[in-house]
Amino acid sequence: MNVKLKIAALFVCMTVVCGAKPCHSDQSERANNFTCTLATGGDTTLYSVQAEAVLLFFYDPTCDECHELMARLDESPVITRLIEDKHLIVMAVYPEEDVDVWRENMDYVPETWLNGYDPGAKIILDDLYDFSTLPTLYLLDRQKCYLLKKTTADEVEITLENLF
């Protein structure tokens, strides 16, 4: 089997069997998938979240700057409208495994967001995302390809306004 045929077969497997889709441009890459435990008690993966856009919000539950940014995003008319219209899901993720700290600070996360933690700290251990400081924002499209990496609330709002 020649190389082009092997690549074509792999692509078919990824798109048809596995459900993976290529990113929309050569400059974009797909975000790493991960599993987190939600406030409801169930688990979810990034790739199972279905929306036209996903805002990943990595945070520390005891971080004042994280709480301030949560409030800023929660008060954003653009983000609020897109959540209400089911175009955007905000996924707040505590990338560590201290469930007690996470539970004690759940009230800071808006109820309209997905709120989860990484019970095995695999996001950190496997170095899936760059968040040398928290909070850290990533904006993803429907295929979980990066639109913005390590970005600001203002950049998120501008990008979302232009997209929707």
Side-chain angles (χ1 to χ4, degrees), residues 59-70 105 108 134-135:
Y59 75 103
D60 179 332
T62 62
C63 161
D64 290 335
E65 188 177 334
C66 298
H67 299 162
E68 290 169 13
L69 184 56
M70 279 182 196
N105 293 280
Y108 288 104
L134 293 174

Side-chain angles (χ1 to χ4, degrees), residues 47-66:
Y47 287 3
S48 70
V49 174
Q50 297 299 311
E52 293 176 55
V54 176
L55 180 60
L56 279 180
F57 182 95
F58 290 106
Y59 75 103
D60 179 332
T62 62
C63 161
D64 290 335
E65 188 177 334
C66 298

